[in-house]
């Protein structure tokens, strides 16, 4: 049985939660390996909508063990707020495991995130203000707080003291904010220690043992390829590794154990936050995509920037992740158009680029070169096989497959769990 990575192949919000949920009933473990509560997954089950932010999507699948890996940064208030919300709707959350090596988001991380973004002004990154970046910065600077620290108050207090010794100078002298006390931070974190303790374990051991037993483990990325801190549109990126390599470092499972890497990609493109976006539309077509696709952030509610499908980005995502499969979502949103444009290359100051330029300046000035594909008018939301789709919708998928350099194994034609066309078995 395989170990499968599921990740976003654009700038996020591609429908990873739905793809993970589609596989969830056939796997034993679902692991969130990066990010925090700065992104959201919306999953619709029997008409019921669930918005998940920090929890792995597998928590909605009976019999699946959801895991928060060591690569995640955890806001404990958010974690237990989410657990309480879905427990109130009858979801069993007792199987959740949390890595003791995961880092914690403290109140001072959220404060610094918000004041820094305001201080940057026009140069802002477009963060969610939830403390994700500062928590990862502390991790790399080796002054972070880990889940294990909650169970030794002396160690926790020492670490908070060390962190605040520097951060309070920044808050008071640069940002004109009040100093944060060690006591209030420790009290905030310890409030959740007893409730968290039964969930905490060495999840790397658990996952490797599961693979040794022949069980199936699914690794679920937060954010997406183009927001990866190394391979995304830096500096307008997240603070963690959202590509396939991050599944290994964020879970403690080695790369030789990964069998499949599934990229999830919309039939068009969206982005939230600042940064370059070559196919972005500023006209009625962009507003039509936003309204028809319901393009508003699961976590923030912010309207998403919308544009046509970018095959250059798809090829790039396929290469840096080693994709074995693509899942195309929201094909139904494109219904009702005479033609559908697809970006096949970029023009940068008169020079054609068929591959994504990683130079920040070049990418910022990239203009899309479009190919118009025939559209369709038929309602496809009830289609359940590829042959059910209108001919032009089939040709659209076949064209994307050829341009993107990876087979398209599943197609989303609606928001529900059942509204998916399967072309190839993702676990085969």
């Amino acid at each position: 049985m395989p170990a499968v990575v599921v990740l976003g192949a654009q700038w996020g919000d591609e429908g990873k939660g739905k793809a993970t949920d589609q596989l969830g009933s056939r796997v034993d473990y679902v692991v969130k390996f990066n990010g925090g509560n700065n992104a959201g997954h919306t999953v619709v089950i029997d008409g019921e909508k669930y918005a998940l932010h920090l929890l792995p999507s597998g928590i909605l699948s009976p019999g699946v063990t959801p895991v928060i890996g060591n690569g995640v940064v955890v806001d404990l208030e958010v974690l237990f707020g989410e657990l309480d919300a879905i427990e109130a709707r009858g979801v069993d959350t007792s199987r959740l495991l949390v890595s003791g090596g995961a880092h914690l988001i403290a109140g001072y991380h959220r404060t610094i995130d918000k004041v820094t973004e305001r201080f940057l002004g026009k140069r802002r990154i477009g963060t969610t203000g939830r403390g994700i970046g500062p928590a990862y910065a502390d991790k790399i600077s080796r002054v972070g707080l880990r889940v294990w620290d909650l169970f030794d108050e002396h160690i926790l207090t020492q670490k908070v003291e060390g962190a605040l010794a520097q951060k309070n100078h920044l808050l008071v002298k640069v940002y004109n904010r009040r100093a944060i006390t060690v006591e209030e931070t420790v009290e905030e974190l310890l409030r959740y220690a007893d409730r968290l303790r039964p969930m905490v374990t060495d999840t790397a051991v658990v996952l490797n043992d599961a693979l040794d037993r022949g069980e199936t483990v699914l690794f679920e990325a937060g954010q997406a390829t183009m927001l990866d801190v190394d391979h995304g549109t830096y500096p307008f990126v997240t603070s963690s590794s959202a590509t396939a390599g991050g599944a290994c470092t964020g879970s403690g499972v080695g790369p030789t154990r990964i069998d499949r890497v599934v990229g999830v990609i919309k039939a068009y493109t969206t982005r939230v936050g600042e940064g370059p976006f070559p196919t972005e539309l500023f006209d009625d077509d962009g507003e039509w995509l936003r309204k028809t696709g319901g393009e508003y952030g699961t976590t923030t509610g912010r309207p998403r920037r919308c544009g046509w499908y970018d095959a250059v980005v798809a090829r790039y995502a396929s290469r840096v992740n080693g994709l074995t499969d693509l899942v195309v979502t929201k094909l139904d949103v494109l219904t009702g158009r005479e033609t559908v444009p697809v970006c096949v290359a970029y023009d940068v100051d008169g020079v054609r680029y068929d591959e994504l330029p990683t130079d920040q300046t070049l990418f910022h000035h990239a203009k899309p070169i479009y190919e118009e594909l025939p559209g369709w008018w038929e309602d496809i939301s009830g289609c359940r096989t590829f042959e059910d789709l209108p001919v032009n919708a089939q040709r659209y998928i076949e064209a994307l497959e050829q341009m993107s350099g990876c087979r398209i194994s599943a197609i989303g034609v609606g928001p529900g769990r059942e509204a998916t066309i399967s072309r190839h078995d993702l676990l085969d």
Side-chain angles (χ1 to χ4, degrees), residues 10 15-16 28 87 99 105 109 123 148 161 166 192 210 278 302 400 403 419:
Q10 295 165 318
K16 295 182 295 294
D28 301 292
E87 284 172 0
S99 170
I105 297 174
H109 292 129
R123 294 179 291 109
W148 290 126
E161 285 175 347
Q166 178 195 49
Y192 303 99
R302 290 185 291 183
L400 298 193
M403 295 174 187

Side-chain angles (χ1 to χ4, degrees), residues 5-12 14 16 223-228 231-232 242-245 261-266 269 309-327 346 354-358 363 403-407:
V5 179
V6 174
L7 50 83
Q10 295 165 318
W11 278 278
E14 300 94 345
K16 295 182 295 294
Q223 291 79 41
T225 298
M226 299 305 291
L227 293 177
D228 183 273
H231 301 290
T243 42
V261 182
V262 179
V264 185
I265 197 163
K266 276 179 184 164
T269 312
Y309 187 89
D310 191 329
V312 184
V313 164
R315 287 194 294 273
Y316 178 76
S318 180
R319 183 172 69 252
V320 300
N321 291 296
L323 296 183
T324 59
D325 303 85
L326 275 173
V327 173
Y346 300 143
D354 291 297
E355 298 298 336
L356 190 140
T358 53
F363 191 66
M403 295 174 187
S404 304
C406 184
R407 74 176 188 177

Side-chain angles (χ1 to χ4, degrees), residues 116-251:
T116 301
E117 188 77 347
R118 283 197 290 270
F119 187 79
L120 286 171
K122 291 182 179 179
R123 294 179 291 109
R124 64 187 180 274
I125 302 299
T127 77
T128 58
R130 285 162 167 77
I132 310 297
Y136 275 116
D138 277 4
K139 176 179 179 177
I140 299 304
S141 298
R142 294 160 295 185
V143 293
L145 311 173
R146 300 201 299 172
V147 168
W148 290 126
D149 298 331
L150 286 175
F151 311 125
D152 187 327
E153 185 174 349
H154 178 67
I155 291 293
L156 178 65
T157 301
Q158 281 188 330
K159 289 192 172 185
V160 172
E161 285 175 347
L164 285 177
Q166 178 195 49
K167 288 174 173 53
N168 275 332
H169 283 291
L170 182 68
L171 287 170
V172 174
K173 297 177 181 178
V174 177
Y175 297 126
N176 196 30
R177 298 285 172 147
R178 74 169 183 85
I180 295 173
T181 68
V182 173
E183 292 74 21
E184 67 183 286
T185 302
V186 171
E187 181 182 351
E188 170 203 347
L189 295 170
L190 288 180
R191 187 184 312 146
Y192 303 99
D194 289 342
R195 187 174 176 188
L196 184 66
R197 190 187 297 267
M199 307 174 190
V200 178
T201 189
D202 185 341
T203 53
V205 171
V206 171
L207 296 172
N208 279 283
D209 285 349
L211 290 170
D212 288 342
R213 293 192 299 269
E215 296 178 300
T216 301
V217 178
L218 190 150
F219 300 87
E220 173 188 60
Q223 291 79 41
T225 298
M226 299 305 291
L227 293 177
D228 183 273
V229 69
D230 287 292
H231 301 290
T233 47
Y234 192 89
F236 302 101
V237 293
T238 192
S239 301
S240 61
S241 297
T243 42
C248 298
T249 55
S251 68

Side-chain angles (χ1 to χ4, degrees), residues 234 353 356-365:
Y234 192 89
Y353 285 79
L356 190 140
T358 53
D359 181 290
Q360 181 181 343
T361 301
L362 291 178
F363 191 66
H364 182 77
H365 291 97

